Amino acid sequence: SLEDLLVNMVSDKKEWCKKFGIQTEWNTDKLPGVFLTDKGREYVSERFSQLTDMGITVIELPPYRPDLKGPIEKFFDLIQESYKPMLKGKGVIEKDFQKRGSHDYQLDACLTIHEFEKIVLHCIIHYNEKRILKNFPYDEEMLQAHVAPFASQIFTFGLTKEGVQLIEATKEEIHLTLLPRTTGKFARTGLKVNKMR
């Protein structure tokens, strides 16, 4: 759910990875100041728009335009390319899954959600900490600071720059911000909400 996603964003990633026996320097525990969405069902709800109360800017991209969010789409491709070869025969769906008479991949599934989460975490960490970004536009300051060409190193360097848009929030603040809202009316007889006094 949206709430789980946001709570995960502000959680300690090192502790989370430790549950899976993974050592990492993943150091993000803040919300981004800007959310780009593709008008998916969960991102056009009133609850999602309530995030603006926390200082978050929500930018809605037009639907069916993957070209406007190329890096994210490529990220999902690369993650799937990483784990799919290792999980052949373990229930991972192949390209022919909708063809008539094709194999039912659900019958092969043999991983628990905990095992699958561990695999995806390894892929994400590899993507951020080990994959060299060949065409990243380095500036003079980054070269002088000896920033390695890995996403995690570039992100950590970016945190030192002025104008970084990250928002500190607790899990409780997220829960309270996303609570359902309605309007009420005060009258002589008391507070009226949803036709109830």
Side-chain angles (χ1 to χ4, degrees):
S1 75
L2 171 65
E3 198 165 330
D4 293 333
L5 169 72
L6 295 170
V7 166
N8 181 275
M9 284 181 175
V10 299
S11 298
D12 185 340
K13 306 301 182 297
K14 291 180 186 178
E15 285 301 312
W16 179 38
C17 290
K18 236 181 242 183
K19 292 189 301 188
F20 298 92
I22 301 170
Q23 294 291 320
T24 181
E25 292 303 313
W26 198 346
N27 62 348
T28 54
D29 60 355
K30 295 174 182 60
L31 294 173
V34 178
F35 274 79
L36 285 174
T37 75
D38 59 359
K39 291 192 179 178
R41 188 179 43 151
E42 61 276 10
Y43 303 122
V44 292
S45 67
E46 194 171 316
R47 286 182 72 202
F48 188 76
S49 65
Q50 290 169 193
L51 289 174
T52 57
D53 294 352
M54 300 178 80
I56 293 170
T57 303
V58 178
I59 299 172
E60 294 179 346
L61 297 173
Y64 309 110
R65 290 293 308 273
D67 55 311
L68 296 178
K69 52 189 187 321
I72 286 109
E73 296 291 338
K74 189 61 184 168
F75 167 76
F76 288 122
D77 285 347
L78 290 169
I79 289 292
Q80 288 186 42
E81 281 175 19
S82 300
Y83 71 73
K84 276 191 171 183
M86 293 183 278
L87 300 180
K88 275 224 186 289
K90 298 193 186 314
V92 172
I93 294 172
E94 300 294 337
K95 292 177 182 175
D96 67 347
F97 79 100
Q98 287 184 325
K99 291 184 180 167
R100 188 180 188 126
S102 67
H103 182 69
D104 186 356
Y105 295 101
Q106 294 176 53
L107 299 175
D108 299 334
C110 61
L111 294 175
T112 65
I113 193 70
H114 181 84
E115 292 168 330
F116 183 71
E117 189 175 354
K118 183 176 181 179
I119 289 166
V120 172
L121 271 174
H122 274 293
C123 292
I124 291 170
I125 290 167
H126 176 80
Y127 182 88
N128 286 318
E129 295 179 3
K130 305 277 189 274
R131 188 176 145 269
I132 294 173
L133 299 175
K134 294 176 184 170
N135 299 320
F136 189 82
Y138 270 72
D139 61 20
E140 191 62 37
E141 191 178 354
M142 293 174 82
L143 292 170
Q144 288 175 356
H146 303 290
V147 177
F150 303 113
S152 58
Q153 298 275 328
I154 293 167
F155 179 81
T156 303
F157 175 77
L159 292 176
T160 65
K161 306 304 290 170
E162 197 174 312
V164 173
Q165 292 185 333
L166 292 177
I167 296 169
E168 288 195 40
T170 64
K171 295 173 187 177
E172 292 75 26
E173 288 173 323
I174 290 170
H175 291 304
L176 290 172
T177 301
L178 294 178
L179 282 173
R181 299 179 186 183
T182 188
T183 54
K185 186 177 179 183
F186 277 105
R188 276 191 206 166
T189 53
L191 175 64
K192 280 186 178 179
V193 178
N194 295 336
K195 297 182 182 177
M196 296 192 314
R197 193 175 304 155

